[in-house]
Amino acid sequence: MGFTDRRTFIKSALALGAMVATSGCMKPADKPAPWISGAPDPDPMNGKNVKIVRTVCLACHSACGLQVKVVDGVVAKVSGNPYHPNTMEPHIPYGTDPKAAEKLEGTVCAKGGALIQSLYNPDRLLHPLKRAGARGSGKWKTITWEQAYNEIINGGDLFGEGPVEGLAALRDLQTPIDPEAPELGPKANSVVFMPGRIEHGKKEFTDRWFKNAFGTVNNRLDHTSICETSHHVGLSLCFEGSTHIKPDIMNAQYILFFGTSPYEANFPMQALARKLNFFRERKGKLVIVDPRFSNSAAKAYRWIPILPGTDAAFALGMMRWMIEHDRIDKRYLSFPNAKASSADGHLTWCNATYLVRQDTRKFLRPADIGLSAGEKDFVVMEGGKAAASGAPAMADLEYTGEINGIAVKTVFTMLKERVSEHTLEEYAAICQLDPQVIVKTADEFSSHGRKAIADFYRGAVQHTNGTYNARTIAVLNFLIGNVSWKGGCEAHGGSHWHEMGGQPGNKYDLAKSLHPGSVKAKGVTIDRKKSLYEESTEFKKNGYPAKRQWFPFANDNVYQEVFPSIGAQYPYPIKALITYWCNVAYAAPAGIHQIKGIKDPKVLPLFVAIDMVMGETSAWADYILPTVHILEDWATPHVAPTILTQTSGVRQPCIPPVARDAKSTEEIFIDIALKMGLPGYGKDGFGPGMPLEKPSDWYHKMVANIAYGDKAGDSVPGETEAEKVQYVLDRGGRFEDYSKSHNGDHTSHPYKNICLIYNEKLATTRDSMTGQFFDGLPYYEPIRDAMGRPADMQKDKYPFHIITYHPVYHAQARTAVSKWLMDLTPEECVEIYAGDAQQLGIRYGDMVRVYSPSNPEGVKGRAFVTEAMRPGIISIPHSLGHWEYGSKSYTLDGKATPHRSFIGRGCSANPVMMLDPHLKDVCMQDPIGGSASFYDSYVAIEKVKE
């Protein structure tokens, strides 16, 4: 499409009322809608055809329900869905008539309201594109979907650079990808699917395609490691079956937040903020531990300006004071099993009394000492005698000694020894705080019974020591026995109805029985997540260190490691990369260096990007396939345990695709599957007579599972399946009544399992680079590189610690296209403490350059001089500083495309963040959780001329 056609595209408002998702020529609307900053402006009062569609937002990861007003085929207004618990307190009863509910509105944040502008973004990609020059040259040509599919599937000499294997040739489930290392799996693993932001519904659909139909283990290497993954991994090592905690805000008395700004970010942000307002009205005490004086800190009872990355030291100092002053729940800690703790009303118990062998780091098992016991029992001391953990009503909390010649200690004894490794003064010195700050916080935290909670998010975990920080903070809650109690720590939340099925009441088992011809992917992923290095051929040949880090606990992928691993062809070469909403080059720390891994077609022969705009990463692809917007798409997003009632939101298309040639991810992969003949697609995709030919075939079954519930007899009203599905869609999901959040003194859907102070699996697993065991207890570790060495920050040349954060009006990589949101964003975006600025001669509004050892050129932005920062910190908010996304032109069919320079305004911290000193092609990483290090880099700053 040329420049003239694109102008017609904008002026005609895309023939908004008449567009459908088919190819063909665009026809201008009879009466083009006026445009304001790229968004249409229909008359919301006098439109002839008005409908309300309830869906789910994806402007951030909160998954808030939306109520979308569509006037004459144009999205005229976005508000909150009053059925959804994220957007109204309390949300309306589920039985409320949908027409009556149209008179009500829940809340929506600025990002959600501005979805209109990204929907009607004039820079959206309109047709499939193929590069028309060298990779990354910015030269493109328009092609048809048919040409794109044929070339991607069949390969050939696509660019005059030599033969490229297509997907058909790469789907080899028999030939080893490396004959000398069969554990790596078959050749099919040379195909990688790397989505950025992808949610439930899509996750399971693409897993079905890549893992169970195509047969690659590289089926969904998503973005989570640059967002939060060590939070999830750390908590998975504290709980069995939970990866997330949140406070029961409406009933808590004291909330201690580490590294998060609940009034601006975290999720669900607006629900957190609303509930915290009620909490503060009740005189609840909110404490924010963060180096930046955020808007959340401004509303807090107290702000603690901690040094980044020292959260575990602060928590260990709290533990030491609490133990020494008998401010822990020793009775709860002494319960060795569920039956014993339930006598006191607890739904959980912990392993504080379990004995740990000091030789093997493992728990002592009954069989080790010839003790008769159950298969799942451990060993505790009861009155000074060894006993199986399943029997005693109480066990000895402290013990050090030998049993049958085996040296053992209880977990609690080991914890006491751990917290005693430093004095309070030493812990405070690590955090660069006054010791009395730790004392006061520990005193307050332990003064509210079970109605206090320590919570955290990415600020505490996106470090090389992130998983240890997560585990240590979480254990504070165990010491006061608050898990699953009203007003305490919620580790489960209301959860959701299981859209994939497999539960007694579900209609369809999408996870297992409805995929004829399904294959089983096998091998090691390119990012080496959930794999033990010691089981590899490489280890057996070479021992430690591995060539690159392995991440046996990284349950949520290692996003920032994918491109560098492709570049290193480790542990095997990749032949085809397919990305979706992936912008790792912009979003990852030191992301500008990521492109080196994929820029050479000889190293990565085929790169296909599915995207809505020309992004910083998709600009390097061979093909870009245009996809649909959030308001044109399907998904079944889940909510965080902030929400205590069962919640299943459903994202559904509000209008047909504005860019008429765009396709959803599901459409694209169904098309390719049908052309390749992959199992599980077509007229009998789910089995005889059950087609999987379009996205609604998939989502109808998911919504039916939600409608029918997870137990027999639990379903929404309706005589037929279609009626029940429509009942859910009319309300934008299924939502349990607000009154069902609690059951007596507990939450209604509580975590009911063990709380792990000591994690045996972690303690007995070795780091793939150093060969050293990880630590199974709460632990503070300084910032380290891939080889386990203290990272050389060169503080003499680069004296400032750089951090970043999400402001409330921006999130992800897409909000900069909104003129509304960018008008709210001040031009000044390099935040510096006033005292530091004065010493450097920097004044508010000066142009400054921030640079680092990994990026000597640095980034430029205006100084925002503030007292709201601890000294020695530079902060740059995320979501600004784009160099693509419509901020500059590219060449399409021989002509320069229009661009909007405001999209590139400001700067980003990510380009100046530190590369790992050992690996040199990726940022520093948490070797346990796999998180990218966002908060461990040091920079210099100087005033420059404009």
Side-chain angles (χ1 to χ4, degrees):
M1 176 175 241
F3 180 76
T4 303
D5 289 333
R6 187 171 285 273
R7 283 188 178 277
T8 302
F9 168 83
I10 299 171
K11 289 180 179 179
S12 68
L14 320 176
L16 290 169
M19 295 240 163
V20 291
T22 58
S23 59
C25 298
M26 289 192 171
K27 298 179 180 179
D30 293 335
K31 294 182 179 180
W35 285 72
I36 299 176
S37 303
D41 188 22
D43 184 343
M45 300 300 293
N46 299 316
K48 295 179 180 179
N49 299 298
V50 178
K51 68 174 182 176
I52 296 294
V53 183
R54 297 187 176 94
T55 186
V56 179
C57 191
L58 188 50
C60 78
H61 193 44
S62 292
C64 296
L66 299 179
Q67 186 158 279
V68 179
K69 187 175 185 178
V70 181
V71 181
D72 293 339
V74 176
V75 174
K77 182 180 181 181
V78 177
S79 57
N81 178 3
Y83 290 100
H84 199 291
N86 277 11
T87 65
M88 185 174 277
E89 194 91 32
H91 55 288
I92 64 175
Y94 193 57
T96 305
D97 181 81
K99 292 299 292 183
E102 291 179 6
K103 301 175 182 178
L104 303 171
E105 290 184 340
T107 56
V108 66
C109 77
K111 299 184 293 293
L115 284 174
I116 292 175
Q117 290 203 309
S118 55
L119 173 67
Y120 297 116
N121 173 14
D123 301 309
R124 283 185 65 170
L125 300 176
L126 308 182
H127 302 288
L129 304 181
K130 179 180 179 179
R131 66 176 169 95
R135 189 176 281 176
S137 65
K139 297 179 180 179
W140 299 90
K141 63 181 178 179
T142 302
I143 60 173
T144 65
W145 279 102
E146 193 66 23
Q147 180 183 346
Y149 288 151
N150 286 337
E151 294 183 4
I152 291 167
I153 293 169
N154 299 315
D157 192 357
L158 305 176
F159 309 100
E161 299 167 346
V164 174
E165 290 182 282
L167 295 181
L170 295 173
R171 189 179 182 264
D172 181 343
L173 304 176
Q174 302 301 323
T175 305
I177 200 165
D178 182 348
E180 295 185 2
E183 75 278 1
L184 298 178
K187 183 179 177 180
N189 290 347
S190 65
V191 174
V192 170
F193 177 53
M194 186 181 178
R197 175 66 69 187
I198 189 169
E199 293 192 308
H200 287 284
K202 281 192 188 306
K203 285 182 178 182
E204 291 81 3
F205 181 90
T206 56
D207 284 355
R208 176 187 177 98
W209 200 97
F210 282 95
K211 186 177 181 181
N212 303 125
F214 189 89
T216 175
V217 292
N218 292 305
N219 56 292
R220 180 170 33 96
L221 307 183
D222 69 26
H223 84 291
T224 313
S225 66
I226 64 164
C227 183
E228 61 203 353
T229 189
S230 291
H231 169 272
H232 300 341
V233 173
L235 290 174
S236 74
L237 295 168
C238 289
F239 300 98
E240 291 192 349
S242 179
T243 61
H244 204 140
I245 62 171
K246 280 289 187 288
D248 176 9
I249 299 173
M250 300 297 280
N251 296 284
Q253 295 176 1
Y254 187 92
I255 301 175
L256 177 62
F257 276 124
F258 287 82
T260 185
S261 301
Y263 275 96
E264 300 145 278
N266 208 316
F267 56 88
M269 182 275 294
Q270 61 170 328
L272 277 169
R274 182 181 64 246
K275 291 174 185 291
L276 284 169
N277 282 343
F278 288 116
F279 168 81
R280 291 167 56 233
E281 286 176 5
R282 293 189 291 101
K283 307 300 181 185
K285 290 186 175 181
L286 173 64
V287 179
I288 299 290
V289 184
D290 195 295
R292 183 179 67 91
F293 188 72
S294 62
N295 289 338
S296 301
K299 295 180 183 297
Y301 155 74
R302 196 148 51 87
W303 169 50
I304 300 174
I306 196 170
L307 184 70
T310 63
D311 307 80
F314 190 95
L316 287 167
M318 287 179 63
M319 289 181 197
R320 174 167 183 151
W321 187 91
M322 290 163 63
I323 291 171
E324 289 179 344
H325 290 79
D326 199 20
R327 297 287 283 276
I328 60 174
D329 190 342
K330 287 185 177 180
R331 183 172 174 83
Y332 169 73
L333 296 172
S334 298
F335 294 132
N337 55 63
K339 182 179 179 181
S341 76
S342 66
D344 270 18
H346 285 281
L347 302 179
T348 69
W349 70 103
C350 76
N351 63 3
T353 59
Y354 293 7
L355 295 175
V356 179
R357 297 180 57 140
Q358 301 302 292
D359 55 350
T360 65
R361 307 167 70 91
K362 294 183 177 181
F363 287 117
L364 185 69
R365 263 58 175 197
D368 294 341
I369 57 173
L371 187 66
S372 178
E375 188 175 316
K376 296 183 179 180
D377 275 349
F378 299 91
V379 180
V380 298
M381 300 300 289
E382 183 183 18
K385 294 183 179 180
S389 61
M394 299 282 283
D396 299 346
L397 197 52
E398 297 188 58
Y399 180 80
T400 300
E402 287 191 2
I403 302 177
N404 289 7
I406 302 172
V408 294
K409 296 178 182 179
T410 66
V411 168
F412 185 76
T413 297
M414 294 172 65
L415 179 64
K416 279 187 68 175
E417 292 174 352
R418 168 56 48 81
V419 302
S420 298
E421 289 174 357
H422 295 286
T423 64
L424 279 176
E425 289 73 20
E426 289 169 337
Y427 283 125
I430 292 170
C431 304
Q432 294 187 8
L433 295 168
D434 189 299
Q436 286 305 306
V437 174
I438 297 177
V439 170
K440 184 174 178 61
T441 308
D443 185 14
E444 292 172 343
F445 178 74
S446 57
S447 296
H448 298 274
R450 297 173 185 140
K451 293 195 172 185
I453 176 176
D455 191 16
F456 61 97
Y457 218 71
R458 72 188 309 265
V461 302
Q462 295 301 122
H463 298 273
T464 66
N465 60 9
T467 301
Y468 288 136
N469 289 342
R471 290 205 73 243
T472 306
I473 295 168
V475 169
L476 283 170
N477 297 298
F478 303 165
L479 294 185
I480 61 172
N482 67 359
V483 177
S484 298
W485 284 92
K486 188 174 184 177
C489 175
E490 179 52 48
H492 190 267
S495 192
H496 58 280
W497 285 272
H498 293 84
E499 65 267 45
M500 284 297 287
Q503 303 295 318
N506 294 150
K507 190 77 172 179
Y508 302 101
D509 187 357
L510 296 173
K512 294 181 180 178
S513 60
L514 294 181
H515 192 163
S518 173
V519 301
K520 187 175 182 179
K522 57 185 178 181
V524 175
T525 60
I526 189 69
D527 63 344
R528 303 164 306 281
K529 69 174 184 295
K530 296 190 286 188
S531 296
L532 286 171
Y533 173 59
E534 291 79 7
E535 295 177 357
S536 70
T537 298
E538 179 189 352
F539 172 74
K540 293 167 186 174
K541 288 182 177 179
N542 303 326
Y544 301 108
K547 183 177 179 181
R548 301 184 70 88
Q549 289 169 294
W550 291 54
F551 304 90
F553 295 99
N555 299 325
D556 296 306
N557 310 296
V558 192
Y559 188 64
Q560 72 281 353
E561 181 64 24
V562 177
F563 279 21
S565 295
I566 291 174
Q569 298 187 302
Y570 178 78
Y572 45 78
I574 295 300
K575 300 295 184 181
L577 169 69
I578 302 176
T579 62
Y580 162 72
W581 196 347
C582 168
N583 201 4
V584 66
Y586 171 80
I592 57 171
H593 302 284
Q594 291 271 322
I595 296 302
K596 296 174 184 176
I598 53 91
K599 68 187 301 183
D600 185 353
K602 292 183 174 61
V603 175
L604 175 66
L606 180 61
F607 178 9
V608 179
I610 301 171
D611 211 334
M612 202 171 69
V613 295
M614 182 67 67
E616 282 80 6
T617 303
S618 53
W620 288 86
D622 301 319
Y623 298 87
I624 307 181
L625 307 181
T627 193
V628 297
H629 185 270
I630 298 157
L631 297 180
E632 305 162 336
D633 210 356
W634 288 95
T636 56
H638 300 170
V639 296
T642 309
I643 304 303
L644 300 179
T645 48
Q646 199 165 0
T647 299
S648 284
V650 175
R651 181 174 301 127
Q652 59 182 317
C654 301
I655 58 171
V658 168
R660 65 184 307 175
D661 212 11
K663 296 185 181 229
S664 72
T665 317
E666 294 85 352
E667 286 181 278
I668 293 169
F669 288 123
I670 288 172
D671 288 350
I672 295 174
L674 294 176
K675 289 180 178 294
M676 290 182 63
L678 294 182
Y681 299 88
K683 64 183 181 65
D684 298 317
F686 289 116
M690 291 190 291
L692 179 49
E693 299 176 310
K694 54 186 184 298
S696 57
D697 293 335
W698 173 260
Y699 285 101
H700 174 97
K701 288 179 170 55
M702 298 195 103
V703 178
N705 281 336
I706 292 170
Y708 279 91
D710 298 331
K711 58 184 178 181
D714 174 27
S715 67
V716 303
E719 294 297 322
T720 66
E721 179 179 319
E723 289 176 349
K724 290 179 184 293
V725 167
Q726 193 60 50
Y727 193 95
V728 173
L729 293 177
D730 286 345
R731 291 156 177 78
R734 186 173 178 186
F735 312 105
E736 187 178 34
D737 284 347
Y738 187 83
S739 62
K740 296 184 178 180
S741 61
H742 292 83
N743 181 12
D745 290 333
H746 301 284
T747 52
S748 289
H749 304 280
Y751 175 78
K752 297 181 179 180
N753 211 327
I754 192 169
C755 297
L756 304 173
I757 295 174
Y758 182 83
N759 189 286
E760 178 188 72
K761 187 175 181 181
L762 181 62
T764 55
T765 301
R766 295 179 186 270
D767 186 306
S768 63
M769 306 299 285
T770 67
Q772 299 298 309
F773 285 115
F774 295 122
D775 201 295
L777 284 168
Y779 181 54
Y780 168 70
E781 177 182 82
I783 305 307
R784 300 187 185 278
D785 67 11
M787 288 302 299
R789 300 171 299 211
D792 180 9
M793 304 300 184
Q794 302 182 48
K795 294 181 184 179
D796 55 334
K797 297 180 181 178
Y798 304 94
F800 289 96
H801 202 144
I802 191 167
I803 63 173
T804 188
Y805 67 94
H806 276 310
V808 71
Y809 35 76
H810 280 293
Q812 320 302 341
R814 301 220 170 179
T815 53
V817 303
S818 169
K819 187 68 163 59
W820 295 340
L821 297 179
M822 291 299 282
D823 283 348
L824 294 172
T825 305
E827 186 178 2
E828 298 81 14
C829 59
V830 179
E831 301 173 4
I832 182 172
Y833 172 62
D836 293 333
Q838 184 177 24
Q839 290 185 5
L840 295 171
I842 294 172
R843 302 183 67 180
Y844 185 97
D846 286 345
M847 184 64 68
V848 295
R849 179 173 73 99
V850 180
Y851 57 100
S852 69
S854 298
N855 188 342
E857 181 180 345
V859 297
K860 293 179 181 179
R862 292 197 180 277
F864 187 96
V865 179
T866 176
E867 298 281 354
M869 190 87 65
R870 69 166 293 137
I873 301 291
I874 295 289
S875 183
I876 302 178
H878 187 52
S879 297
L880 302 182
H882 281 280
W883 57 94
E884 291 284 356
Y885 264 82
S887 67
K888 72 175 186 180
S889 295
Y890 54 92
T891 301
L892 178 59
D893 299 331
K895 298 180 180 179
T897 61
H899 70 282
R900 296 181 293 163
S901 59
F902 75 81
I903 294 173
R905 194 172 74 218
C907 63
S908 169
N910 293 352
V912 297
M913 288 184 181
M914 186 173 173
L915 289 169
D916 183 90
H918 175 71
L919 295 173
K920 296 183 172 60
D921 59 3
V922 69
C923 63
M924 295 191 294
Q925 307 173 93
D926 177 357
I928 304 174
S931 275
S933 166
F934 271 91
Y935 306 114
D936 300 324
S937 296
Y938 278 76
V939 297
I941 182 172
E942 65 178 8
K943 181 178 176 179
V944 295
K945 294 182 179 180
E946 296 197 32

